[in-house]
Amino acid sequence: MKEIKVSEIDKNVLKAISEEWMLVGATNCEKSNVMTASWGGMGYLWNKNVVFVFIRPQRYTKEFVDASEYFSLSFFDAKYRDMLTYMGRTSGRDEDKIAKCNLTALQERAPLFEQASMTFICKKLYKDELSEDGFMQKDIVGKNYTEKDFHAVYIAEILKVYVN
């Protein structure tokens, strides 16, 4: 893996998040956990290069992200689509998903995978919970939050970018 500057990213991150998906990963003192995500983005805020991601309250990975100062966003080539689907449907509470998928995990404050085409190591800056009152278009709630399980939003500084 090679470290590059954020300004050297040549991938369409919007497309990568929404269409190709990503793994959100974090480590507590005992282990790491990851989940598949397709909601988020990248930008510039508070004079920093940032990402923002959304995690539902029932996701096991949320416990890891909440307990850590850092998390990672890992992107994979199309041949890993089945793995990403599995990671999104299976809970780390039930099994070691990373081992089951034969991913080679490294640590850089958060999980980093040899198989990933690109990984962001991120430091949390801000967290808040979405609420029904905040939605200007109420149909979004009906379509996406039938259980009223509103996402937490995390804004994080991109500290490092690794590419394969």
Side-chain angles (χ1 to χ4, degrees), residues 3-4 16 20 33 50 52 54 56 67-68 77-78 83 85 89-90 98 100 102 107 109 123 128 131 134 136 140 163:
E3 185 176 352
I4 64 169
E20 299 168 12
N33 196 59
V50 299
F52 56 93
F54 298 84
R56 288 197 193 263
S68 179
D77 294 333
M83 177 272 296
T85 299
R89 292 185 178 159
T90 305
I98 295 169
K100 183 152 187 174
N102 296 315
Q107 280 296 320
R109 300 180 181 157
K123 183 176 183 178
D128 202 1
S131 70
M136 303 296 140
I140 294 172
V163 295

Side-chain angles (χ1 to χ4, degrees), residues 77-94:
D77 294 333
K79 68 182 178 180
Y80 291 99
R81 186 62 169 210
D82 289 343
M83 177 272 296
L84 290 166
T85 299
Y86 170 80
M87 292 288 196
R89 292 185 178 159
T90 305
S91 174
R93 286 184 184 99
D94 302 325

Side-chain angles (χ1 to χ4, degrees), residues 22-51:
M22 62 187 165
L23 287 183
V24 178
T27 301
N28 65 20
C29 58
E30 298 174 17
K31 67 178 187 171
S32 296
N33 196 59
V34 295
M35 62 173 253
T36 303
S38 62
W39 289 8
M42 182 177 163
Y44 191 73
L45 181 66
W46 305 316
N47 299 311
K48 299 175 185 294
N49 296 307
V50 299
V51 292

Side-chain angles (χ1 to χ4, degrees), residues 50-135:
V50 299
V51 292
F52 56 93
V53 295
F54 298 84
I55 304 176
R56 288 197 193 263
Q58 63 267 40
R59 296 302 299 258
Y60 186 49
T61 302
K62 184 178 182 302
E63 295 175 25
F64 288 74
V65 172
D66 286 344
S68 179
E69 192 175 353
Y70 305 93
F71 64 82
S72 60
L73 302 180
S74 297
F75 301 88
F76 294 82
D77 294 333
K79 68 182 178 180
Y80 291 99
R81 186 62 169 210
D82 289 343
M83 177 272 296
L84 290 166
T85 299
Y86 170 80
M87 292 288 196
R89 292 185 178 159
T90 305
S91 174
R93 286 184 184 99
D94 302 325
E95 61 187 57
D96 184 345
K97 300 188 296 183
I98 295 169
K100 183 152 187 174
C101 289
N102 296 315
L103 292 177
T104 306
L106 310 168
Q107 280 296 320
E108 171 70 33
R109 300 180 181 157
L112 176 70
F113 301 102
E114 283 186 11
Q115 294 87 348
S117 59
M118 181 171 65
T119 300
F120 300 160
I121 303 299
C122 307
K123 183 176 183 178
K124 293 187 305 187
L125 299 171
Y126 179 83
K127 174 197 169 195
D128 202 1
E129 310 290 331
L130 299 181
S131 70
E132 189 166 358
D133 293 341
F135 286 91

